[in-house]
């Protein structure tokens, strides 16, 4: 039976529900020279092709189209073995199948109440003539994008040593890509010329060269927007991007070092791990390309990354509670903690967090089970819990390495709700394994986890749903430009939760206060930190009516509706929680007026509470927030005016 779009779609009705649906749609013998194997997305709009080598020494290649537009030109696929030889070229084709899968699921938290997991998968099997390793290449076509991974099926020796991979992304001529390194700014270039400037400066024990972190945003001359990222990274190094052999091509490159080997974990010196071992059978992470007809169309497709990840291995999820948090900083005292609890209760927050140096002798490598003298952590936790507020505490990587069992046992006894771990190393296989064990151990003890520093999401929040937040970004605590803030919704923020630490009304902000308000809905983070640099005393005097927005804005959503935007220019997105909609809009350093159709609203009359930029001030942060109300319905078009570096936040509530 020949594999084509018609046979794929005709067989969907016979597929069972769930990832166990593996009813073959088609089986292909060795294709003739130049012929490819194809698979299409359920809606038929996206087609993936696997070009099987026609002669010895050639690589398998993958290619893709979305409608009439090219997503990916034929691009080579290979794993690199420990001896430097490639697994892919010179392989004998054994056969292929196309199967429908349905991994649709309901996340405990997310950008929507339900994630669509329907897709069609092509698996082509090969045997390497030299090593006798049997492997498969899997291509997945989903309505929201495409993905590729290798499966190591068997080997003469069960253990297989790998030295990397060479998966190409050959994008159409004229494609622009947005890339960054660590916490550096995003740079725009051609795929083959990526060289983002790292920030902070690289240490001696860091991967060197023209490398970029995931994710990367690509926009083709035909207008297609694609997010290149990874999913389901388990027992495998983190992926980066390197320039390919020509202007059009990027290639995957596995990390040899941690992303940033700094902090109390040491002076920045650690060993490289250019080779690593896995045991067959083994599947590599997915290499993912989300696709949309415009950049804003990617925003509601961010659920693809966790959908492709391994399902929950933790068990019960009913204790996991996302929410908003307030950070309490040193100097620590019992009185100051109680003041923080009172502020959190007044502002309807869900958590307080004690940051660095609350334990030990005042240095982060200290014993993380011993609070500083006179600090009654157990009493504080109990007082917070009495008001419905959970307590999160900071722990550095060093005590997490030395005494994790003691930490989780002690914190469970105290009633701690979660841990924010800092200076985490991620990159090598051993780093990825360490993080998995860290998060799993915490989850087994009903502790939420938020990881900070140079990390990148890959769907682990589905596999271990207590992993509610991570950093991995040039955060708002560094007071970035408005342009940076409106680049992130199309880049880093699409690959997973983004802990962006909102800084309201701070003298170092380069944006307006309405811009800061809008962040709470534009960025998705189940554990959102508000008032990052603030103390409760700041809000004891004066009138702060705009804080009502933070009081009401949730952190997880039943529905996400992207409206408009361009990377580095502006963004507007609406999200629904229950029967209320929240809309956030932000612009770069240019004043902007946009017109937003309210078609996402259901029938009936709604009241819009608008938090907008007021009269322009010389310093953006001094621009006041004007609050107004108006009646609207789904047929209305809202005019949103934003000052330079400004924004607007709107709460929609149904009228009786």
């Amino acid at each position: 039976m020949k594999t084509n779009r018609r046979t794929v779609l005709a067989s969907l009705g016979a597929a069972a529900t769930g990832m166990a649906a593996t009813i073959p749609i088609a089986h292909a013998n060795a294709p003739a020279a130049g012929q490819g194997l194809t698979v299409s997305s359920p809606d038929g709009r996206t087609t993936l092709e696997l070009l099987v080598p026609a002669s010895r020494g050639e690589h398998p290649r993958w290619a893709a189209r979305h409608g009439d537009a090219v997503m990916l030109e034929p691009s080579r696929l290979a794993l690199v073995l420990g001896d430097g030889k490639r697994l892919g070229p010179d392989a004998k084709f054994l056969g292929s199948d196309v199967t429908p899968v349905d991994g649709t699921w309901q996340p405990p938290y997310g950008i929507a109440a339900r994630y669509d997991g329907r897709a069609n998968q092509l698996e082509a099997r090969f045997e390497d003539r030299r090593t006798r390793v049997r492997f498969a290449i899997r291509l997945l076509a989903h309505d929201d994008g495409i993905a590729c991974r290798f499966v190591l099926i068997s080997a003469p020796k069960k253990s297989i040593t790998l030295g990397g991979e060479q998966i190409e992304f050959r994008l159409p001529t004229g494609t622009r890509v947005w890339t960054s390194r660590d916490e550096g700014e995003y740079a725009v270039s051609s795929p083959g010329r990526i060289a983002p400037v790292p920030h902070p400066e690289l240490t001696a024990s860091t991967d060197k060269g023209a490398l970029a972190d995931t994710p990367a945003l690509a926009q083709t001359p035909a207008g297609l927007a694609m997010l290149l990222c990874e999913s389901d990274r388990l027992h495998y190094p983190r992926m980066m991007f390197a320039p390919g052999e020509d202007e059009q091509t990027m290639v995957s490159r596995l990390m040899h070092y941690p992303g940033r080997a700094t902090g109390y974990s040491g002076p920045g010196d650690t060993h490289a791990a250019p080779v690593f071992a896995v045991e067959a059978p083994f599947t590599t992470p997915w290499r993912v390309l989300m696709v949309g007809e415009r950049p804003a169309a990617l925003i509601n497709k961010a659920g693809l990354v966790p959908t492709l990840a391994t399902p929950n291995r933790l068990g019960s999820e009913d204790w996991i509670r996302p929410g908003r948090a307030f950070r309490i900083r040193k100097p620590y005292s019992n009185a100051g903690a109680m003041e923080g609890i009172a502020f959190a209760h007044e502002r309807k927050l869900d958590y307080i967090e004690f940051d660095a140096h609350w334990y030990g002798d005042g240095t982060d490598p200290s014993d993380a089970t011993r609070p500083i003298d006179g600090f009654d952590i157990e009493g504080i936790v109990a007082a917070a819990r009495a008001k419905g507020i959970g307590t999160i505490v900071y722990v550095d990587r060093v005590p997490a390495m030395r005494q994790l069992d003691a930490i989780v046992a002690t914190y469970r006894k105290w009633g701690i709700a979660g841990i924010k771990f800092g200076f985490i190393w991620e990159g090598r296989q051993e780093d990825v394994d360490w993080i998995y064990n860290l998060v799993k151990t915490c989850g087994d003890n009903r502790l939420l986890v938020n990881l900070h520093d140079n990390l990148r999401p890959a769907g682990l929040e589905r596999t271990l749903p207590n992993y509610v937040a991570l950093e991995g970004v040039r955060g708002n605590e560094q007071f970035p430009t408005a342009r940076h803030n409106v680049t992130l919704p199309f880049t880093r923020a699409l690959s997973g939760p983004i802990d962006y630490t909102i800084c309201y009304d701070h003298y170092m902000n380069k944006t307006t206060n309405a811009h800061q308000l809008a962040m709470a809905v534009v960025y998705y983070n189940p554990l959102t930190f508000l008032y990052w640099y603030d103390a409760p005393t700041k809000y004891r005097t004066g009138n702060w009516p705009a804080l009502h927005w933070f009081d009401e804005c949730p952190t997880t959503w039943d529905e996400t509706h992207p409206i408009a935007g361009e990377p580095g220019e502006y963004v507007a997105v609406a999200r629904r929680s229950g029967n209320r909609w929240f809309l956030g809009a932000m612009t770069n350093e240019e004043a902007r007026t946009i017109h937003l159709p309210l078609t996402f609203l259901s029938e009936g009359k709604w009241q819009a509470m608008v938090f907008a930029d007021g009269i322009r001030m010389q310093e953006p942060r001094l621009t006041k927030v004007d609050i107004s109300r108006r009646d609207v319905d789904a047929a209305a078009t809202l005019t949103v005016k934003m000052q330079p570096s400004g924004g607007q936040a709107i709460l929609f509530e149904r009228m009786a």
Side-chain angles (χ1 to χ4, degrees), residues 324-329 333-354 375-392 416 531 534-537 540:
R324 296 158 296 175
F326 173 66
R327 179 177 72 146
I328 300 174
R329 296 178 291 156
S333 68
N334 295 331
M338 295 302 173
E339 189 176 41
I341 292 169
F343 176 75
H345 184 257
E346 178 185 352
R347 299 259 61 103
K348 302 182 181 180
L349 302 177
D350 304 283
Y351 295 99
I352 56 169
E353 185 255 349
F354 295 109
F375 195 53
D376 181 15
I377 188 70
E378 290 188 77
I380 292 165
V381 171
R385 189 168 56 242
K387 292 184 177 292
I389 297 167
T391 301
I392 297 169
I416 296 292
Y531 313 107
D534 288 344
T537 52
R540 282 186 186 151

Side-chain angles (χ1 to χ4, degrees), residues 72-94:
L72 194 66
E73 295 187 357
S75 305
R76 293 180 296 184
L77 297 168
L79 291 182
V80 180
L81 297 172
D83 61 5
K85 303 285 188 179
R86 294 189 177 191
L87 194 67
D90 205 27
K92 179 183 177 182
F93 177 72
L94 302 178

Side-chain angles (χ1 to χ4, degrees), residues 55-245:
S55 60
R56 299 282 293 269
E58 289 186 0
H59 288 71
R61 292 176 295 164
W62 64 323
R65 300 183 69 89
H66 182 74
D68 295 328
V70 173
M71 290 177 62
L72 194 66
E73 295 187 357
S75 305
R76 293 180 296 184
L77 297 168
L79 291 182
V80 180
L81 297 172
D83 61 5
K85 303 285 188 179
R86 294 189 177 191
L87 194 67
D90 205 27
K92 179 183 177 182
F93 177 72
L94 302 178
S96 67
D97 296 300
V98 175
T99 57
V101 295
D102 190 352
T104 299
W105 60 298
Q106 294 179 324
Y109 51 84
I111 65 166
R114 175 182 175 274
Y115 285 172
D116 184 1
R118 294 170 299 166
N120 292 313
Q121 178 176 280
L122 165 67
E123 177 170 297
R125 294 172 293 281
F126 301 85
E127 182 177 283
D128 183 67
R129 290 184 170 91
R130 182 178 68 92
T131 63
R132 300 303 177 191
V133 172
R134 288 200 170 194
F135 67 95
I137 296 173
R138 285 182 184 164
L139 300 183
L140 190 80
H142 186 281
D143 290 350
D144 291 341
I146 61 173
C148 171
R149 78 191 319 174
F150 277 79
V151 182
L152 298 171
I153 300 170
S154 65
K157 295 181 179 180
K158 192 173 183 180
S159 179
I160 302 173
T161 302
L162 297 176
E165 62 179 43
Q166 291 285 304
I167 295 179
E168 287 186 343
F169 306 90
R170 184 173 171 81
L171 303 172
T173 301
T175 295
R176 296 185 301 159
V177 294
W178 283 255
T179 58
S180 71
R181 180 81 188 268
D182 197 354
E183 294 183 358
E185 296 285 353
Y186 274 83
V188 184
S189 68
S190 64
R193 296 290 182 267
I194 57 172
V197 177
H199 177 83
E201 293 184 7
L202 299 179
T203 62
S205 299
T206 314
D207 291 273
K208 301 296 196 298
L211 300 170
D213 285 312
T214 63
L217 172 69
Q219 191 165 24
T220 73
L224 281 187
M226 295 178 288
L227 190 82
L228 285 67
C229 55
E230 64 176 334
S231 178
D232 208 26
R233 185 205 315 130
L234 300 173
H235 194 51
Y236 199 82
R238 193 172 102 192
M239 180 180 73
M240 302 184 80
F241 298 110
E245 295 178 353

Side-chain angles (χ1 to χ4, degrees), residues 355-377:
D355 221 59
H357 308 307
W358 68 269
Y359 60 80
D361 61 4
T363 63
D364 287 337
S366 304
D367 181 352
T369 67
R370 184 174 68 85
I372 58 174
D373 291 343
F375 195 53
D376 181 15
I377 188 70

